[in-house]
Amino acid sequence: MNASFYTAARGAMTQQERMNVISNNLANTNTIGFKSKSAVFSDLMYCVMHGQEGVTHGTGVKVERTNTDFTSGGMTASAEGGYNYYIDGDGFFMVKDQITGEISYTRAGNFSLSVKGDEVNLITDNRKLVLDENRNPVQLVEGKLTAKPGIFKFQNTNDMQAAGFSEYIPVAKNGEPQLAEDSKLIENYLELSNVDLAKEMSDMIITSRAYSYALKMVQTSDEVQQTINGLR
């Protein structure tokens, strides 16, 4: 009975984690450049049932990782005269933290200008410097940008780490960033979030029901245990 109790409890916690992922997707439906995520499950240890050779029972599941869907979310026109860009094709903008120097990557091209001393830099909403194809900060000099934002791509995007603000940090398996020569930069357009609202709503209903069933199993296991204790 303890096994069924803890398996059900583990299931409820796992569904709660999945619900958190779905809720985050829904909250970012209108966030420029946001990429939806999905929870990936893995089975916990299986045990051989006592006296039943070859018959096993599981001990629940856990969320192994979250996958990020890097497909394009479509494009929308922005007001002219700003500094907004859309990447037509694969790749990311390379941005640099002004304090730590850390490099991260984003598809969100809603940039603006920031004055720092005698320099006027192109920055993200998170106040990170936007870099050109030579990995130098894009600046405004005499009313014109020194270069266009560079577009960089990776060998693959598997397991890139989310850094917040629709930014990502590559891991070793992604390889080194390379210029995405096949991609184009389109001005005065932005990339929308790729969250599929209908899918997220249906996933939320499924997850909610699975969570309820897991809690019901916890309750049933507890009731059976109480009945057994009452017979002693």
Side-chain angles (χ1 to χ4, degrees):
M1 291 311 302
N2 286 338
S4 65
F5 183 89
Y6 289 115
T7 298
R10 178 71 258 179
M13 288 187 287
T14 299
Q15 295 301 328
Q16 179 62 62
E17 291 181 59
R18 186 187 185 196
M19 184 65 79
N20 291 341
V21 174
I22 295 171
S23 298
N24 185 61
N25 288 340
L26 291 173
N28 287 280
T29 302
N30 296 316
T31 300
I32 296 297
F34 179 81
K35 300 303 174 186
S36 63
K37 297 176 177 58
S38 60
V40 178
F41 298 95
S42 64
D43 293 336
L44 296 178
M45 184 173 59
Y46 279 83
C47 302
V48 176
M49 296 185 67
H50 180 68
Q52 302 290 328
E53 185 176 352
V55 179
T56 62
H57 68 86
T59 55
V61 295
K62 69 172 183 177
V63 174
E64 181 179 358
R65 66 183 186 277
T66 56
N67 281 346
T68 303
D69 179 8
F70 283 105
T71 58
S72 175
M75 61 192 299
T76 182
S78 64
E80 294 186 6
Y83 299 93
N84 298 316
Y85 300 91
Y86 172 85
I87 297 176
D88 182 14
D90 296 331
F92 301 86
F93 299 109
M94 179 186 287
V95 298
K96 181 179 181 180
D97 191 293
Q98 299 189 59
I99 299 176
T100 66
E102 182 180 45
I103 299 294
S104 55
Y105 300 83
T106 183
R107 294 275 299 188
N110 48 330
F111 304 138
S112 58
L113 297 176
S114 174
V115 179
K116 185 177 181 180
D118 296 331
E119 298 178 347
V120 181
N121 297 305
L122 191 66
I123 62 170
T124 67
D125 279 354
N126 199 24
R127 304 197 63 78
K128 292 187 177 181
L129 298 173
V130 180
L131 306 185
D132 62 20
E133 62 180 18
N134 296 315
R135 307 188 186 190
N136 297 316
V138 177
Q139 296 180 332
L140 187 73
V141 177
E142 296 182 355
K144 295 183 178 180
L145 295 179
T146 55
K148 292 183 178 181
I151 306 174
F152 297 83
K153 65 180 181 179
F154 295 88
Q155 179 179 339
N156 63 73
T157 56
N158 297 338
D159 297 330
M160 288 187 76
Q161 298 178 352
F165 294 93
S166 297
E167 296 174 10
Y168 300 89
I169 298 175
V171 295
K173 68 167 69 175
N174 302 136
E176 293 297 319
Q178 305 291 333
L179 284 175
E181 298 178 353
D182 295 334
S183 299
K184 295 190 304 181
L185 196 65
I186 302 179
E187 298 184 33
N188 299 319
Y189 282 86
L190 291 170
E191 182 170 341
L192 298 169
S193 167
N194 69 350
V195 173
D196 184 337
L197 188 58
K199 178 181 181 300
E200 297 300 329
M201 292 299 292
S202 62
D203 285 349
M204 183 174 66
I205 293 172
I206 293 171
T207 303
S208 178
R209 288 180 178 175
Y211 180 80
S212 298
Y213 295 150
L215 291 185
K216 183 64 177 177
M217 184 175 174
V218 171
Q219 181 182 358
T220 301
S221 297
D222 181 59
E223 291 173 352
V224 171
Q225 187 67 53
Q226 289 183 33
T227 301
I228 293 173
N229 291 337
L231 297 174
R232 293 177 181 177

